[in-house]
Amino acid sequence: MSHQSFHPPLRTLMGPGPSDVNPRVLEAMSRPTIGHLDPMFVALMDDMKVLLRYAFQTDYDLAMPVSAPGSAGMETCFVNLVEPGDTVLVCQNGVFGGRMKENVERCGATAVMVEDEWGKPVDPNKVEEALKANPDIRLVAFVHAETSTGAISDAKTLAEIAHRHDCLIIADCVTSLGGSPLKVSEWGLDAVYSGTQKCLSCTPGLSPVTFSPAAIERIQNRKSKVQSWFMDLNLVLGYWGGGAKRAYHHTAPINALYGLHESLVILEEEGIENACQRHQHNHSALRAGIEAMGLSFVVDEACRLPQLNSVTIPDGVDEAAVRSRLLNEYNLEIGAGLGPLAGKIWRIGLMGFASNQTNVLLCLGALDAVLTDMKAPIKSGVAVEAAMKVFAS
Amino acid sequence: MSHQSFHPPLRTLMGPGPSDVNPRVLEAMSRPTIGHLDPMFVALMDDMKVLLRYAFQTDYDLAMPVSAPGSAGMETCFVNLVEPGDTVLVCQNGVFGGRMKENVERCGATAVMVEDEWGKPVDPNKVEEALKANPDIRLVAFVHAETSTGAISDAKTLAEIAHRHDCLIIADCVTSLGGSPLKVSEWGLDAVYSGTQKCLSCTPGLSPVTFSPAAIERIQNRKSKVQSWFMDLNLVLGYWGGGAKRAYHHTAPINALYGLHESLVILEEEGIENACQRHQHNHSALRAGIEAMGLSFVVDEACRLPQLNSVTIPDGVDEAAVRSRLLNEYNLEIGAGLGPLAGKIWRIGLMGFASNQTNVLLCLGALDAVLTDMKAPIKSGVAVEAAMKVFAS
């Protein structure tokens, strides 16, 4: 056997993530590796914590990346804050609430579910009712920006309700961080995890997290050991916590962290408010084109994520064939629907570096051409022009 | 605040890992990101499995990288193979056996320990005795190459003993993979985890694993769910398992995987036997220099890892000051001792790409110069010449 180096095609990534990576991030990742206890690397870790606090808009001391993808960030929140026998309120309005339930149960705890239709935000009234009905609950979990549907929930209100009922609150901010307003400490979110491969324009593989002092206190006062050695924050903080002397826990993914650092520097340069506005603006242009074609959005405008656009598939169209043609003929990746939305929607991401005019026009032009060629029931030849009007305005 | 891009110094990494990364790997990591369900990426995953089977010398179907560092690879083995109430035999002859014990206990199981002195290999007779004394045990775990001491244990014999007692066997091969002979399926190791940042010359952050059919069968017949959602192989294999259609589990760390693939291509080009011989040869040269200085090795030659050299510190020397000077004056990183060996040894790595003549000579020359300057009780000015004789032979 003889294997060759892998040279990937140059895709435009407009699915649910990974999204297009800023070339500065790719370049940063290829810099020389240094040791995980090197004083220069420890200084980088300190710098990254400051940058993560800015990205999360948090004044919590604990802000760091978990050395694994977003699902490990989710699990880090649950295994540290849940103990066997606990009851946890989990809000589900898409795929990731279901994954939270799995996490709760694998910690030996019980999940009380608050269910909302996929594509709708979490209903705060239902959360309030569920907490009234279950006074033992001390932890609430919800997804801020549901990547499976494109709906954003009211994190501030949910945190207020949770705190009024003496609960801590876990928020999945994988897709919101860097793309939608997120004010972790002002809103009082207690444990927040995100991912690098969405609006941070970084490669996948790391999960930034931040924890409130109240969350840390609960972790330090646990009756049982955290079931995961790798994710036990009591141990991880011996390395990521303050102080010049760091204890070895695991070997940090050095070059991936170079990339995350660079992406956070880029976010600071642009400014979070500007980044959010950019996401909104490019969404408006995409929307104009999509609607001009006669297609519609799954999620109401009031709770629609600008970075994740769920678009209904026109009648009689083989949606997988459309995605294949976009990939093969235009090197353009868009996403499929999941769960009850599988086969019913496309998910078009405009995340981070990928949220730009070129991508909007490419996506609309390619979709228009492929659907027209497949004789789909759309209005042809008008999408790009509609988007251009928004850009020109 | 305003933060800058991070430009690391150019170090020579001769500690216990990360080791010097092959520039081809760094370049591969900076290639354009594609989606984790892209057909081109799925083809890369298939190619990587073949290359991992070669690296592990295994014919097991399951060979894949866990999307997190080596400690998560360790935890993947334990959470999948251990159930609450089990008793597991854990061999400890260094740091990582202790971490295995932690893993067993966090799975709700009991660890029966077989202890050997740090720097010695695991004693097969003790393992045999412990299994005779504890007939309920169905799982044995040991460290093939102890990174904390530099001792290699007899994996083949330990696997034979485990199987004779109807046990599966977990092997930590973090430091042996790519540097020392490792024949996973011939020896019958059932669950093996490694790391990318040692003899594979890749960046840290991934953990290659391979599991025997018997291990898979045990996982599929578990009475309880795997306590970690992220590490549950029943779920992970929906993505990494065979077939053109992959189910989304978590977003794979695409660019890190480009790097690992490249490092495996490089290993195949060199050939495993050649790589092992190279590690042995460079160790011989380093050893000649170290011994010429009057310093000695902690581990007996018969069970000494060529890629991890534990060297005793001369009397009266401030070992941390020596490491600081090597780093600051020579950009050279070597490692400190851990646990009972802290302050007593240096750990000098010659792993993967870092195992080369230039590094051997740099390390000996720099150590000679610094120790001589600090008036340490060594024989000065002879180390480099002694190593050169080995290279010339």
Side-chain angles (χ1 to χ4, degrees):
Chain A
M1 74 178 175
S2 172
H3 292 80
Q4 307 296 319
S5 297
F6 178 69
H7 291 278
L10 191 55
R11 306 290 201 201
T12 298
L13 300 179
M14 297 180 70
S19 59
D20 285 345
V21 174
N22 191 308
R24 281 175 57 183
V25 170
L26 294 174
E27 186 269 317
M29 286 179 65
S30 69
R31 292 176 190 154
T33 308
I34 61 176
H36 56 289
L37 296 169
D38 191 305
M40 296 290 282
F41 188 71
V42 169
L44 175 72
M45 290 164 70
D46 285 337
D47 206 48
M48 185 138 41
K49 289 196 277 189
V50 176
L51 285 162
L52 278 174
R53 285 189 201 110
Y54 171 70
F56 276 126
Q57 295 282 291
T58 182
D59 54 18
Y60 303 156
D61 191 54
L62 198 175
M64 51 158 275
V66 170
S67 302
S71 8
M74 176 191 284
E75 193 162 323
T76 297
C77 291
F78 283 93
V79 294
N80 280 280
L81 288 171
V82 178
E83 296 206 59
D86 284 359
T87 306
V88 180
L89 189 77
V90 174
C91 308
Q92 177 164 17
N93 62 335
V95 165
F96 295 93
R99 191 174 291 189
M100 286 175 157
K101 177 173 187 277
E102 272 291 329
N103 270 275
V104 167
E105 290 171 353
R106 287 170 192 240
C107 292
T110 303
V112 170
M113 302 300 290
V114 166
E115 310 253 7
D116 280 291
E117 197 182 328
W118 289 39
K120 304 285 185 201
V122 174
D123 182 346
N125 294 324
K126 289 189 193 170
V127 173
E128 179 94 53
E129 291 308 310
L131 289 175
K132 279 184 188 159
N134 297 277
D136 288 347
I137 293 177
R138 289 289 165 273
L139 185 64
V140 173
F142 77 105
V143 179
H144 184 217
E146 243 304 344
T147 321
S148 63
T149 68
I152 192 161
S153 290
D154 182 351
K156 188 179 178 211
T157 299
L158 293 172
E160 280 167 8
I161 294 169
H163 290 165
R164 205 184 315 128
H165 290 271
D166 204 19
C167 289
L168 298 181
I169 187 158
I170 295 176
D172 175 325
C173 296
V174 169
T175 290
S176 51
L177 182 67
S180 296
L182 172 62
K183 296 170 188 296
V184 168
S185 52
E186 186 184 316
W187 295 347
L189 303 171
D190 292 292
V192 177
Y193 61 90
S194 189
T196 45
Q197 78 280 17
K198 313 276 185 182
C199 298
L200 292 184
S201 319
C202 186
T203 56
L206 298 174
S207 178
V209 297
T210 182
F211 283 70
S212 72
I216 302 286
E217 196 188 329
R218 187 176 293 186
I219 295 168
Q220 288 173 336
N221 292 320
R222 286 176 62 95
K223 293 187 291 283
S224 57
K225 269 193 185 174
V226 171
Q227 69 189 27
S228 169
W229 186 91
F230 176 62
M231 301 181 201
D232 184 346
L233 284 176
N234 293 302
L235 303 177
V236 175
L237 288 179
Y239 179 59
W240 272 99
K245 199 154 177 83
R246 311 289 170 118
Y248 161 62
H249 174 255
H250 64 274
T251 304
I254 307 294
N255 292 64
L257 291 165
Y258 292 168
L260 174 57
H261 181 267
E262 187 70 20
S263 79
L264 293 168
V265 168
I266 295 167
L267 179 64
E268 188 192 51
E269 285 172 7
E270 180 175 19
I272 287 187
E273 294 75 14
N274 293 335
C276 291
Q277 278 170 24
R278 175 170 52 81
H279 281 87
Q280 200 62 54
H281 187 57
N282 289 313
H283 162 71
S284 298
L286 182 78
R287 183 189 59 192
I290 291 288
E291 291 178 347
M293 268 194 257
L295 303 181
S296 60
F297 285 84
V298 175
V299 176
D300 289 344
E301 197 172 344
C303 56
R304 188 187 302 158
L305 287 168
Q307 61 271 46
L308 197 285
N309 298 271
S310 286
V311 174
T312 50
I313 294 164
D315 287 339
V317 168
D318 177 350
E319 74 85 17
V322 174
R323 286 187 293 111
S324 262
R325 287 191 58 179
L326 292 176
L327 193 69
N328 295 327
E329 296 169 25
Y330 297 88
N331 274 307
L332 171 62
E333 178 178 278
I334 67 170
L338 295 175
L341 297 175
K344 297 183 182 165
I345 64 166
W346 289 305
R347 290 182 297 157
I348 302 177
L350 282 170
M351 297 182 182
F353 188 69
S355 177
N356 64 54
Q357 175 173 304
T358 304
N359 282 8
V360 169
L361 299 178
L362 165 68
C363 180
L364 290 171
L367 202 55
D368 186 2
V370 168
L371 289 175
T372 299
D373 190 60
M374 289 170 77
K375 305 194 193 316
I378 60 154
K379 192 163 176 199
S380 296
V382 294
V384 169
E385 192 186 344
M388 286 299 283
K389 276 190 190 151
V390 175
F391 284 127
S393 69
Chain B
M1 71 178 178
S2 173
H3 293 80
Q4 308 295 318
S5 297
F6 178 69
H7 291 279
L10 191 55
R11 307 289 202 201
T12 298
L13 300 180
M14 297 179 69
S19 59
D20 285 346
V21 174
N22 191 309
R24 280 174 58 180
V25 171
L26 294 174
E27 187 268 317
M29 286 179 65
S30 70
R31 292 176 191 154
T33 307
I34 62 176
H36 55 290
L37 297 169
D38 192 306
M40 296 289 283
F41 188 72
V42 169
L44 175 72
M45 290 165 69
D46 285 338
D47 205 49
M48 184 138 41
K49 288 196 278 190
V50 176
L51 284 162
L52 277 175
R53 285 189 201 112
Y54 172 70
F56 276 125
Q57 295 282 291
T58 181
D59 54 20
Y60 302 158
D61 191 55
L62 199 175
M64 51 158 273
V66 170
S67 302
S71 6
M74 176 190 285
E75 194 162 322
T76 296
C77 292
F78 283 92
V79 295
N80 280 281
L81 289 171
V82 178
E83 296 208 59
D86 284 358
T87 305
V88 180
L89 188 78
V90 174
C91 309
Q92 177 163 19
N93 62 335
V95 164
F96 294 94
R99 190 174 292 188
M100 287 175 156
K101 178 173 187 278
E102 272 290 329
N103 269 275
V104 168
E105 291 172 354
R106 287 170 192 239
C107 292
T110 303
V112 169
M113 302 300 292
V114 166
E115 311 252 5
D116 280 290
E117 196 182 328
W118 289 38
K120 303 283 185 203
V122 173
D123 181 345
N125 294 324
K126 290 188 191 171
V127 173
E128 180 94 53
E129 291 307 312
L131 289 176
K132 280 184 188 160
N134 297 277
D136 289 348
I137 292 177
R138 289 288 167 273
L139 185 64
V140 173
F142 76 105
V143 179
H144 185 216
E146 244 301 345
T147 322
S148 64
T149 68
I152 193 161
S153 289
D154 181 351
K156 188 179 178 209
T157 300
L158 293 172
E160 280 168 7
I161 295 169
H163 290 164
R164 205 186 312 131
H165 290 271
D166 203 20
C167 290
L168 298 181
I169 187 158
I170 295 176
D172 175 326
C173 296
V174 170
T175 290
S176 51
L177 181 67
S180 295
L182 171 62
K183 297 172 188 295
V184 168
S185 52
E186 186 184 317
W187 295 347
L189 303 171
D190 292 292
V192 176
Y193 59 91
S194 188
T196 45
Q197 77 280 17
K198 312 278 187 184
C199 298
L200 293 184
S201 319
C202 186
T203 57
L206 298 173
S207 179
V209 297
T210 182
F211 283 70
S212 72
I216 302 285
E217 195 188 331
R218 187 178 291 188
I219 295 168
Q220 288 172 339
N221 291 319
R222 286 176 62 96
K223 293 186 290 285
S224 56
K225 269 193 185 175
V226 172
Q227 67 188 26
S228 169
W229 186 92
F230 176 62
M231 302 181 201
D232 184 347
L233 283 177
N234 294 303
L235 303 177
V236 175
L237 288 179
Y239 180 58
W240 273 97
K245 196 150 180 88
R246 310 291 169 118
Y248 162 62
H249 175 255
H250 65 274
T251 304
I254 308 294
N255 293 66
L257 291 165
Y258 292 168
L260 174 58
H261 181 267
E262 186 70 21
S263 78
L264 293 168
V265 169
I266 295 167
L267 180 64
E268 187 193 50
E269 285 172 6
E270 180 175 19
I272 288 187
E273 294 74 14
N274 293 335
C276 291
Q277 277 171 24
R278 175 170 52 83
H279 282 86
Q280 201 62 53
H281 187 57
N282 288 313
H283 161 72
S284 298
L286 181 78
R287 183 189 61 192
I290 291 288
E291 291 178 347
M293 270 194 254
L295 303 181
S296 60
F297 286 82
V298 174
V299 176
D300 288 345
E301 197 173 342
C303 55
R304 189 187 300 159
L305 288 167
Q307 62 270 48
L308 197 286
N309 298 271
S310 286
V311 173
T312 50
I313 294 162
D315 287 340
V317 167
D318 176 351
E319 74 85 15
V322 173
R323 285 186 295 112
S324 262
R325 286 191 58 178
L326 292 175
L327 193 68
N328 295 327
E329 297 170 25
Y330 297 89
N331 274 307
L332 171 62
E333 179 177 278
I334 66 168
L338 294 175
L341 296 174
K344 295 183 184 166
I345 63 165
W346 289 306
R347 288 183 297 157
I348 301 176
L350 281 172
M351 297 182 182
F353 188 70
S355 178
N356 63 54
Q357 175 173 304
T358 304
N359 282 7
V360 169
L361 298 179
L362 165 67
C363 179
L364 290 172
L367 201 56
D368 186 1
V370 168
L371 289 174
T372 300
D373 189 59
M374 289 170 77
K375 305 194 192 318
I378 61 155
K379 191 163 176 196
S380 298
V382 295
V384 170
E385 193 189 341
M388 285 300 284
K389 275 189 190 153
V390 175
F391 285 126
S393 69

